[in-house]
Amino acid sequence: METVIRLLLVTLAWVVSARAELKVASLSTITTEIAENVGGPVVRITRLVKPGMDPHDFQPSPRDVREVEDADLVLLSGKGMEGYLTKLEDAVGNKAKFVDVGAEMPTLTLEEDGRVVEDPHWWHSIANMKSATSVVRRQFVEADPPNKALYMKNAAAYQAKLTDLEKWVRQQVAELARDQRKLVTSHDALQYFAQEYGKIYAIEGVSTEDQPSSKKVTDLINTIRTQRVKAVFFESIANPKVITEITRETGAKIGGELFVDGLGEKEASTYSDMIRHNIQTIVKNLK
């Protein structure tokens, strides 16, 4: 009899444990990485926006909506990146808790064509990534208290790795003289990086859907000439046609490909890899 009771208790504990698995849906490759590092094996993560996708263009499919309905938490990068968010929230109602990670990050605004817009690409500040890790950790602990110690430990370990990455970035950027830190990119996604390290000139606005006017391109060509910018960079999800024209007009070289809207499929498949790839590409071509 005692053996039977013991087996029943073990079975019950297993069932409770299985039900306690935290289910998370992620609308950003950045929040997916944070969730994977904080959650480890006790969190099941569904990647809705996958590596290599343009998050500006993403639209949830009916299957994605079902995944969101089934999740305990839905992570998003926020600050307007998910333009479909209101429709998605209406579709799932109260079946899931949405966690806007970007809402707790600093706000950085810029002027585009006479209007003030917010830059949603907060993860290009490693300090923000460490703060975002704390946000995800807190949400996981609230949703799954029994695994608090694991979440705390995992988050601290990931933040330590980010601190090491931040030190490496500073060392690399220090190889560039101040007057060399002028970066021309496809669209305006690196303002958080520029706030710490240099100056950004963008062809398009904060969204890849923004198309530059002929006046903006002409003004940028003049800026590149007067500022003596050495290289122009394109992005992994962008068409480099306009950049080719600009380099032809200015004599600046094509500096290479950057990953700015999220992680890549092969290259830049982790946040650290993305940052290291971008920094090495920038420093090498602006020297």
Side-chain angles (χ1 to χ4, degrees):
M1 184 67 178
E2 184 179 345
T3 302
V4 173
I5 293 174
R6 188 181 298 113
L7 286 172
L8 286 173
L9 289 173
V10 169
T11 302
L12 180 61
W14 181 85
V15 170
V16 171
S17 174
R19 288 178 178 172
E21 180 186 57
L22 189 63
K23 292 181 288 186
V24 175
S26 176
L27 298 171
S28 161
T29 58
I30 301 300
T31 55
T32 294
E33 159 138 345
I34 296 172
E36 288 174 343
N37 278 275
V38 174
V42 300
V43 175
R44 178 165 65 84
I45 301 167
T46 300
R47 303 178 177 190
L48 298 181
V49 175
K50 297 175 177 60
M53 285 185 175
D54 184 347
H56 296 284
D57 291 339
F58 177 75
Q59 291 295 326
S61 67
R63 181 177 178 178
D64 294 330
V65 174
R66 289 194 295 272
E67 293 284 4
V68 169
E69 289 176 335
D70 190 48
D72 299 304
L73 298 175
V74 184
L75 303 180
L76 57 135
S77 60
K79 295 191 179 297
M81 178 65 81
E82 295 85 4
Y84 52 82
L85 183 61
T86 300
K87 289 183 179 179
L88 182 58
E89 288 176 324
D90 290 342
V92 302
N94 296 322
K95 294 180 180 179
K97 178 182 178 181
F98 287 81
V99 178
D100 186 343
V101 178
E104 298 196 40
M105 300 303 109
T107 297
L108 197 160
T109 58
L110 52 148
E111 187 175 326
E112 286 183 358
D113 300 324
R115 59 193 178 98
V116 176
V117 297
E118 186 173 4
D119 182 358
H121 308 85
W122 50 263
W123 53 87
H124 289 293
S125 162
I126 298 176
N128 285 348
M129 278 293 287
K130 289 190 281 189
S131 297
T133 301
S134 295
V135 173
V136 172
R137 178 199 65 205
R138 185 180 73 241
Q139 292 291 335
F140 283 10
V141 168
E142 289 178 2
D144 181 22
N147 284 309
K148 176 180 178 178
L150 178 65
Y151 297 142
M152 299 291 286
K153 177 183 176 182
N154 288 350
Y158 185 56
Q159 287 170 323
K161 290 180 181 178
L162 291 172
T163 296
D164 289 341
L165 180 63
E166 196 170 27
K167 291 176 183 176
W168 178 85
V169 170
R170 287 175 181 155
Q171 290 170 352
Q172 297 300 307
V173 175
E175 295 182 12
L176 290 176
R178 287 281 176 185
D179 62 357
Q180 291 178 307
R181 300 178 191 178
K182 301 166 185 174
L183 189 63
V184 176
T185 60
S186 301
H187 85 285
D188 217 343
L190 289 168
Q191 289 296 335
Y192 284 93
F193 172 77
Q195 192 175 45
E196 297 177 20
Y197 297 109
K199 175 70 176 175
I200 301 292
Y201 303 101
I203 298 170
E204 300 170 0
V206 296
S207 170
T208 54
E209 297 174 353
D210 297 334
Q211 295 299 315
S213 64
S214 56
K215 181 181 183 304
K216 185 172 183 178
V217 173
T218 299
D219 289 344
L220 183 57
I221 287 172
N222 291 333
T223 297
I224 293 171
R225 287 171 175 164
T226 57
Q227 294 293 323
R228 298 180 181 179
V229 178
K230 289 186 176 182
V232 179
F233 300 85
F234 64 93
E235 293 153 29
S236 57
I237 56 174
N239 185 337
K241 183 178 179 181
V242 176
I243 291 179
T244 302
E245 177 185 345
I246 289 173
T247 55
R248 185 170 57 245
E249 290 288 332
T250 61
K253 65 181 177 180
I254 294 180
E257 180 183 50
L258 303 179
F259 292 82
V260 298
D261 277 321
L263 306 184
E265 295 178 274
K266 295 180 181 179
E267 276 187 295
S269 60
T270 69
Y271 179 76
S272 177
D273 287 346
M274 179 186 75
I275 294 296
R276 289 179 184 277
H277 168 88
N278 288 349
I279 294 298
Q280 287 170 340
T281 301
I282 290 167
V283 171
K284 175 183 175 182
N285 288 283
L286 291 184
K287 277 185 176 179

